[in-house]
Amino acid sequence: MLNYPPFGKLIKLVYSDVDDKKCTDEATKLSKLLENNFNEKTDIIFDPKPKGEKRKFFSKIIIKFRENSTSVIKEFLKKNVPDSWTIDIDPENIL
């Protein structure tokens, strides 16, 4: 089973800034934190190169996990993800 909805969950984290280096640094830091705190049943998808749009850069991290891990992951994100990030649970679009 691929663990995609409805058998699994997705969370999209988005960081934006006018500085592409800061965008990359923040996303890399959070990606490492997530990878160090979750086991092999959670997939962390991270593109280290931010995308530019309208004088801003955006970095995205996608977390794919099993339904039964939802509360643990939400609690971790609540405590460890800075307010400067947007957290989208069950996103309609992951692009």
Side-chain angles (χ1 to χ4, degrees), residues 11-31 34 44-53 55-63 81-82 84-88 93-95:
I11 295 178
K12 177 171 73 172
L13 305 169
V14 180
Y15 181 83
S16 65
D17 199 283
V18 294
D19 181 358
D20 66 331
K21 181 172 177 2
K22 182 176 180 187
C23 202
T24 299
D25 292 346
E26 290 294 319
T28 301
K29 183 169 54 173
L30 182 57
S31 177
L34 292 168
I44 310 295
I45 304 162
F46 166 58
D47 181 1
K49 186 173 181 183
K51 309 295 183 242
E53 186 178 303
R55 297 184 187 161
K56 260 193 165 177
F57 293 91
F58 296 87
S59 285
K60 297 177 194 159
I61 298 172
I62 306 296
I63 306 170
V81 175
S84 53
W85 283 83
T86 301
I87 301 172
D88 188 358
N93 183 347
I94 59 171
L95 300 178

Side-chain angles (χ1 to χ4, degrees), residues 3-10 64-67 90:
N3 292 320
Y4 286 106
F7 306 105
K9 297 287 251 177
L10 295 174
K64 185 178 80 151
F65 56 96
R66 292 180 187 229
E67 181 77 38
D90 291 328

